Each structure stands twice: as C-alpha cells, then as structure tokens.
Amino acid sequence: MKALRDGSLPEELAGVEPPTLDRWAPALGHKLYLVGLSTGHPKLVGENRLISTSELMLVSEDHTYARTLSRWYRLGREVSRTELDG
C-alpha cells in the first residue's frame, strides 16, 4: 500500500504474470472478497476455474487490477448486475 501511495502503478507491483480473474464480482462474507474464473493461479491450477479470493484490499480505479491479502490479480470482465439477477 505504501508503494501505491508513493506513486507505483498496480501493474508494476503485480509482478510478471499475476493470475487473471475473469467474470468477477465482489462478495461479502466475514470480509469482502472476489469470486470469478481464475486462470494462471499458482496454487489453484486450471483455466477458468471458479474461485473465491482472500480478503480484498483494493481494486484499481479502472478495474484492471485487484490486490487481495495474498496476491495481485489482473481483472478481466466484471459480471454485470443483470447476469447476477438472471
């Protein structure tokens, strides 16, 4: 968080290949987190694997990166409200 405050960009901090989270949405349990289809996750191996993240720390203003307690994610498409309600 300090690096962001000091002017670093999320893509600079995320490393070479952060996992991608596509068709993502915020979710609330004991903490705020994201759910979505993960590709390239180092521990949850697979392509388009449905996952829930650790606690959400921040999402970039343009919704292209998210930082959770355990790692950075590159964000794909956000699930629309109509898709969730449908």
Side-chain angles (χ1 to χ4, degrees):
M1 299 304 140
K2 181 181 180 324
L4 288 170
R5 281 192 307 269
D6 291 344
S8 294
L9 299 174
E11 53 269 25
E12 296 169 344
L13 300 172
V16 177
E17 282 298 318
T20 299
L21 194 62
D22 196 27
R23 314 233 349 117
W24 60 273
L28 184 60
H30 294 288
K31 305 279 183 172
L32 185 61
Y33 60 98
L34 297 175
V35 294
L37 302 176
S38 173
T39 299
H41 195 288
K43 294 184 179 179
L44 304 173
V45 180
E47 197 168 307
N48 292 319
R49 179 177 174 169
L50 182 61
I51 68 162
S52 57
T53 68
S54 57
E55 181 181 356
L56 182 62
M57 301 281 128
L58 68 88
V59 175
S60 64
E61 287 183 5
D62 61 1
H63 290 185
T64 56
Y65 283 89
R67 175 65 188 177
T68 67
L69 188 61
S70 61
R71 73 185 69 259
W72 285 95
Y73 287 89
R74 181 176 306 141
L75 298 177
R77 298 165 292 170
E78 184 174 3
V79 172
S80 71
R81 187 96 235 143
T82 55
E83 291 175 284
L84 292 174
D85 294 338

